[in-house]
Structures are given as structure tokens and as C-alpha cells.
Amino acid sequence: MNLFEEMGLPGPLVKKLALMGITEPTPIQTHAIPFALDGEDVMGLAQTGTGKTAAFGLPLLAKLMEEPGKPAPKAVRSLILAPTRELAGQIRDTLLPLVKDTPIKVALVVGGASIGAQIKRMQMGTDVLVATPGRLLDLLDRRALSLSDTRFLVLDEADQMLDLGFIHALRKIAGLLPSTRQTMLFSATMPKQMEEIAGSYLTHPKRVQVSPPGKAADKVTQGVHFIAKAAKGDLLVELLDKHREELALVFARTKHGSDKLARKLEQAGYAVAAIHGNKSQGQRERALRAFRDGEVRVLVATDVAARGLDIPDVKHVYNFDLPNVPENYVHRIGRTARAGRDGAAVAFCAPDEMGELKDIQKVMKMTIPVLSGRAWEELPDPKAAPSGRGGPRRGRGGAKGGGGQGQAHGHGAGQPDQAQGRPRRRRRGGGGGGARKQAA
């Protein structure tokens, strides 16, 4: 008898896990599954890549196996909400092998795909519906499905749903669910607002935490280059040249920036693709498939992909632009060193990103090792009273042009694009006009 059997999972599920080569539960699974099987609400906190999907998926399927019968037309017996299309698809793909040769049906509804086909798919009802909040509300508005029979609710990566502004959608969806239900909430970080969400959705939950919020995977080697914005592209090409045969994921802040960077890398001879919110679902799936299969060696992405990518062979993560939500850094670098492998995460920090770096290190509770250059002086708040000095100050990271030392050399660049959230800080010493902001 293995540990999955000792937890009380049904034999057919245990056998399927064994056929998949899974015989030992991860820590989050070990702690969460017994509570979930007992019918308790669960709040699970664990870093990315630790098996959270199976931690809620296995007990959910076990519960459904105990309840015979088919779902009524348009009915949803259990609902799993995820913030992005990629993560929703990943959850669906994880569950499908576990329900093979069983009557349990798993359906996926996300934006960017034909809503007509999804409406037709839901006519017969489903046992498990994996959905993004926006598309789910679209289908509810069209009376294409009903949540009145939903007995189980899972909120996966709930902190990112808050980051992406889904709080009102979540409240609306929760109001359509039966009050008698089992709810599981899983997340990699625990921002203050999450406590409020947990209090609203969970009833006396069992809290399971196997690693501190904000902690990166143990096998990720981190480092930062202090470098002028204009020099980032050349440094990225230089670093990528050292491992052309290995998969690398590059994070940019905006859609426009992702496409521009992908074109530069393509001109440098790389097999590259970009994914972001302006890409159709089909384009995103094709890009991810090519990346997973090794046809594309470099994938440029916005944070829309930070939670949904589960590709064990990703060896390198580059934070070309630092995220303005520090917790997103944790999720970005969690795309490497998965399934026990090693990985490297490299950040590029321009003068106007020192505030972001400081916030990231505070969340991580560590100082990220410096690979080149020297730390820039953090830029003053533009809303603060003027200092009275007669001109803009230069950063400490390098010479007159604003670059760092070593590989972090280069000249100053224009003001970067703005992203969602708080306004970007201005850089010292002139600068061109910023591009229009684009959501990821």
C-alpha cells in the first residue's frame, strides 16, 4: 500500500497514478488531500511547481466517483476557476488522464475560443468544469450553464485572480453557487486581500502551508544584472548564445514589448515565439506546443503565462523587465527548476526599476546576487517636493551614459512602457516619450 492509498484515495485513481509513474505524494498533496477527502474546506499555500493541481484534483475526482449518476443538462457538478487560459488548459490536461475510461467528464471554457462551441459543449452538462472567470460569466449570461448543482468549488492561483482584477467576477460567481458546498483555495502567495477572500469563500478552512509565501523553488539559481534599458537586448542575446540548445523563457512587461523583443531575437537567429493577451487562443496553444516540443527554443511572454506554463525542460528564465507586482517574480522564476530539476533565473534591472527590485527582494526575504554592474540609486518619487538641485542625478550603476559595469554597460534609454498597476518611475537624465500602456 503506497501513501496515496493510505490517504483513502479510491483504487482506480491510485492505479492511474501508478501507471503515470506517480507513487509518492508531494508535501502539499500529503497535507491537503486528507482534509479534502474529509469534506473540509482547504486553503493551500505552496510555491509553484509543487503539485497543487493534483492536491485539489485527486480528492475532487474521488468525491465525484462516490456520487453515481450523470450531470443534468447544462449542470456543473464541480467548478475549478483559474486566472489564465494557459493555467486552465494545464489543469484540464492534468485531470484528463485520471478520468480516462470513467464516466466523469471534464470540460474547459476559456476566452479566445469559440463561445458557440462551448455553449454546445455544455448542453449535456459536465462533472468538472475548468474555466476562467470572464468566459464563465459570458456563458452564465447566455444561460448556457447552471451552477445550482455545483457541490465543489476550487479557486486556483487566487492571488493572481486578484492581481488581474477578477474580484468582482468572483463575488458574482460565488453568489450563484449553493451555500452548501466544499471550497478549496490554492495560491503561491498570500497578499493581505487574500485573507478577506478566504473569509468570504471558505468555512472554517484547514490551512496547509508547505513553504513560506514568496519563497522560490530551492533549485533555482538567481542573479541580477544592473544595466541600462537600451542595453538589455544585446545582453540578452549574449547570454542566450551560451545555451542555444536549451529552452529559455523571457518575460517582458507589455504586449508590444514582447513582440518587439521576439523580432529582435528572431533577427539574431533564434527560433522564437511570443505569447500575450492579444494572441488568439490558437496562436498561444501553437506557440506553447512548439516551445514544449523544442521547435522553438525561446519563448517571450507577459505575465499572462507566468502561472500556466508547466514545461519541465525550461532551464532558463530571464526577467527582461521586472514585474511591478513583486509576487509575480516568484511565479515567473517558478517556471524553471520544476519536477526536481535545476534552473537559472536572471533579472535585468534598469535605473527606473530599482523600486521593483527592492519590493521583490522584500517579498523573497533575500538579496538577489549581483551578476554585473552596481545597484542604481533608487529614483526619487516624482510627486515629492523638488530637492533644489540643479539637474537630474545619474545613477551609481555606471558612467555618464547610465550603464553599469562589466556586461551592464551601455547608454541610457527612453522611458519604458507603462504596465497595469502603479505608475512607472521616471529615469534620471532626460529620456524619450513612453509608449502607450498595454495590458498583458
Side-chain angles (χ1 to χ4, degrees):
M1 176 178 289
N2 65 30
L3 290 177
F4 284 115
E5 288 179 288
E6 293 177 5
M7 291 178 187
L9 287 173
L13 271 182
V14 176
K15 289 180 180 178
K16 283 187 169 65
L17 289 171
L19 290 174
M20 296 164 64
I22 302 172
T23 58
E24 296 292 331
T26 66
I28 187 65
Q29 294 163 8
T30 299
H31 291 84
I33 289 176
F35 287 132
L37 289 174
D38 287 341
E40 303 276 5
D41 282 6
V42 174
M43 180 165 63
L45 299 172
Q47 63 197 46
T48 58
T50 55
K52 292 196 298 292
T53 301
F56 62 74
L58 289 171
L60 175 60
L61 296 179
K63 292 281 189 179
L64 292 172
M65 289 177 176
E66 294 174 355
E67 300 182 2
K70 297 181 179 180
K74 299 184 180 180
V76 175
R77 297 175 70 190
S78 60
L79 173 64
I80 302 173
L81 290 175
T84 67
R85 309 171 198 172
E86 281 73 26
L87 181 57
Q90 176 188 317
I91 293 169
R92 187 270 314 269
D93 292 344
T94 300
L95 298 180
L96 284 178
L98 297 172
V99 300
K100 186 179 180 181
D101 301 324
T102 76
I104 294 177
K105 294 190 296 184
V106 178
L108 174 71
V109 295
V110 297
S114 168
I115 193 169
Q118 293 175 355
I119 290 173
K120 184 176 181 180
R121 188 180 308 141
M122 291 306 303
Q123 288 178 353
M124 300 300 293
T126 189
D127 297 288
V128 182
L129 179 63
V130 187
T132 50
R135 180 47 58 94
L136 179 64
L137 286 177
D138 290 341
L139 293 174
L140 287 167
D141 289 343
R142 289 167 172 76
R143 300 182 183 275
L145 56 83
S146 169
L147 300 180
S148 59
D149 292 336
T150 304
R151 297 277 308 281
F152 307 98
L153 171 66
V154 176
L155 304 177
D156 193 21
E157 302 290 10
D159 52 349
Q160 193 187 23
M161 285 196 265
L162 296 181
D163 292 342
L164 296 178
F166 286 131
I167 180 63
H168 298 298
L170 291 176
R171 286 172 179 158
K172 185 174 181 179
I173 292 166
L176 300 173
L177 292 161
S179 56
T180 304
R181 66 174 189 268
Q182 182 180 8
T183 303
M184 292 180 275
L185 182 154
F186 282 78
S187 181
T189 62
M190 193 68 183
K192 291 181 180 179
Q193 195 178 13
M194 189 61 66
E195 295 285 358
E196 174 191 342
I197 297 301
S200 301
Y201 293 104
L202 304 171
T203 302
H204 305 300
K206 300 296 184 182
R207 180 172 174 138
V208 176
Q209 181 173 333
V210 298
S211 63
K215 184 179 184 299
D218 292 334
K219 294 192 175 183
V220 178
T221 302
Q222 300 179 62
V224 59
H225 292 277
F226 292 103
I227 183 166
K229 180 180 174 67
K232 284 185 176 184
D234 290 339
L235 176 58
L236 178 62
V237 170
E238 180 182 332
L239 296 177
L240 288 174
D241 272 338
K242 298 177 180 179
H243 52 80
R244 277 184 171 267
E245 299 305 312
E246 296 175 329
L247 298 187
L249 179 59
V250 181
F251 282 103
R253 185 176 292 120
T254 67
K255 305 168 190 175
H256 172 73
S258 299
D259 288 334
K260 182 179 179 181
L261 183 56
R263 288 193 296 270
K264 178 180 178 65
L265 294 177
E266 189 173 29
Q267 292 169 359
Y270 290 95
V272 60
I275 59 171
H276 50 66
N278 275 358
K279 301 285 187 180
S280 70
Q281 185 64 17
Q283 288 174 317
R284 288 157 73 161
E285 289 177 355
R286 287 192 294 274
L288 288 173
R289 189 181 309 116
F291 187 55
R292 184 177 289 109
D293 294 342
E295 298 170 10
V296 163
R297 297 289 182 177
V298 182
L299 184 67
V300 183
T302 56
D303 282 311
V304 72
R307 306 292 183 98
L309 276 176
D310 186 9
I311 301 175
D313 291 334
V314 174
K315 186 74 173 177
H316 307 270
V317 169
Y318 290 98
N319 283 281
F320 187 81
D321 298 312
L322 294 182
N324 61 349
V325 177
E327 288 83 4
N328 283 351
Y329 175 86
V330 181
H331 305 304
R332 288 180 178 190
I333 70 174
R335 299 307 100 197
T336 187
R338 299 179 75 81
R341 293 173 170 85
D342 296 328
V346 175
F348 295 171
C349 182
D352 61 340
E353 293 176 304
M354 276 304 297
E356 281 79 358
L357 181 63
K358 181 179 178 181
D359 292 343
I360 288 166
Q361 294 184 139
K362 183 177 180 181
V363 167
M364 299 284 291
K365 295 181 174 62
M366 66 171 287
T367 299
I368 299 174
V370 177
L371 301 175
S372 71
R374 289 183 297 165
W376 309 93
E377 293 179 8
E378 188 172 354
L379 298 177
D381 186 340
K383 296 180 181 179
S387 63
R389 293 196 178 189
R393 294 182 300 158
R394 296 189 181 96
R396 293 181 300 153
K400 188 174 182 178
Q405 294 180 345
Q407 290 179 323
H409 64 283
H411 296 287
Q415 183 176 334
D417 294 346
Q418 289 185 333
Q420 288 179 316
R422 56 187 173 83
R424 304 289 301 118
R425 298 174 175 84
R426 289 184 181 274
R427 66 176 295 277
R428 283 188 297 275
R436 296 174 63 85
K437 74 176 181 179
Q438 301 186 47

